[in-house]
Amino acid sequence: MPPVAPLSSAKAKLIRDLLRTKRTRDRERAFVIEGEKPVQELLAARSPMLRAVVVAESRLRKPGPLRLLLGRGPAPAYVCRDSMFEKLSEVSSPAGLLAVVEQPAWNQAVILQRPQVLGLYGECLQDPANVGAIVRTALGFGLDALWLTPDSADVFNPKVVRATAGALLALPVFTIADVRHLTGQGCAILAAEPPGPSSRAIQDVAAIPARSILAFGNESRGLSETTTKRAALRFHIPVSPAVQSLNVAAAAAVAAFYFSRLLRDGRKS
């Protein structure tokens, strides 16, 4: 078979469905990554998670290593007219390159059996940009995994995928109904909430359990009572009176940085 074959209408339809429909992503156990940098990195690494690569005609004609990478790639490569690629793409100015990628599979039991765990739990996080930023944050600060409730944004939604900048393939992400699954495995819940009599300022927390999960709630409602009742610690991030509160992704970044340093420095309760 030639290194780059014409994209069939059936394959184009599947890609459109993967981009737009969670049901299709779940059924196929696949999702779509768009963009020059992430796709070329997957090709250069000869990632076994690549299922197919699609390139627009104008992009294929440009000089550079892409054609060589496509020819050596672990997955079939397809070319299509620019007008067809624009119909496939979910971005306003497509780069002319996308990949169909297998959804990563992670072993949750292995992670929860570790003697030291620092993870992040998101409850009804519905903004894809927030979820994507949290994925990057969790990976950037060395957290073990992210747990999301089913009513959160799908991590394989194209908007989330773009916001993760490739981190989605490296960070374990799981879906759970609520925190009882985590507390049942001996993990302590550290719940982020607004300042109040039951909440400690984050800088006043000097030690945390060796197996801790940072919990963040819905962008407008916060955490549910089910979660806060099971929290071993409730904390808040003090901000200037001029700012009512931090965006949930920003708050998760501050907490992940602070608590990962506590564990790394050996300050465990």
Side-chain angles (χ1 to χ4, degrees), residues 156-180:
F156 301 111
N157 176 297
K159 293 180 181 178
V160 177
V161 173
R162 287 197 296 275
T164 67
L168 193 55
L169 294 174
L171 179 79
V173 181
F174 305 103
T175 301
I176 56 173
D178 56 50
V179 293
R180 285 175 289 191

Side-chain angles (χ1 to χ4, degrees), residues 12-262:
K13 181 180 183 304
L14 175 59
I15 291 169
R16 282 195 297 269
D17 288 347
L18 286 170
L19 282 163
R20 296 166 190 174
T21 310
K22 182 180 186 300
R23 183 184 305 141
T24 303
R25 293 193 291 268
D26 290 344
R27 185 190 71 226
E28 299 292 327
R29 298 295 303 164
F31 66 106
V32 176
I33 291 179
E34 286 195 69
E36 193 79 26
K37 187 173 185 290
V39 176
Q40 290 221 40
E41 286 178 350
L42 287 169
L43 283 166
R46 306 192 73 178
S47 172
M49 303 190 77
L50 271 174
R51 289 193 183 177
V53 178
V54 178
V55 58
E57 287 178 341
S58 63
R59 176 62 191 86
L60 191 61
R61 288 194 295 267
K62 290 182 180 179
L66 179 59
R67 186 179 283 274
L68 179 62
L69 288 172
L70 291 172
R72 298 188 316 197
Y78 302 97
V79 64
C80 67
R81 297 187 307 275
D82 288 27
S83 58
M84 178 181 282
F85 195 97
E86 288 175 2
K87 292 177 181 178
L88 296 179
S89 177
E90 287 284 302
V91 299
S92 56
S93 300
L97 189 62
L98 64 78
V100 178
V101 183
E102 186 176 325
Q103 293 183 11
W106 307 97
N107 192 324
Q108 184 174 194
V110 169
I111 294 170
L112 291 175
Q113 286 168 3
R114 295 172 184 168
Q116 182 170 298
V117 175
L118 183 61
L120 201 151
Y121 167 79
E123 186 175 272
C124 193
L125 301 182
Q126 297 181 326
D127 186 329
N130 283 338
V131 172
I134 286 171
V135 170
R136 290 188 68 188
T137 288
L139 182 66
F141 291 120
L143 272 62
D144 294 284
L146 169 65
W147 285 268
L148 294 169
T149 53
D151 48 7
S152 294
D154 176 24
V155 292
F156 301 111
N157 176 297
K159 293 180 181 178
V160 177
V161 173
R162 287 197 296 275
T164 67
L168 193 55
L169 294 174
L171 179 79
V173 181
F174 305 103
T175 301
I176 56 173
D178 56 50
V179 293
R180 285 175 289 191
H181 176 77
L182 298 168
T183 56
Q185 297 293 320
C187 293
I189 301 301
L190 313 186
E193 62 180 26
S198 62
S199 175
R200 296 171 63 185
I202 191 171
Q203 70 269 22
D204 294 335
V205 180
I208 60 174
R211 292 158 48 78
S212 293
I213 308 294
L214 315 180
F216 292 86
N218 176 267
E219 288 85 351
S220 59
R221 299 190 303 272
L223 288 166
S224 67
E225 188 178 351
T226 299
T227 299
T228 55
K229 277 185 175 180
R230 288 169 172 78
L233 168 72
R234 300 181 186 189
F235 71 92
H236 64 271
I237 300 169
V239 295
S240 164
V243 178
Q244 186 177 9
S245 64
L246 290 177
N247 169 279
V248 66
V254 172
F257 171 74
Y258 184 81
F259 289 120
S260 64
R261 287 190 65 191
L262 282 187

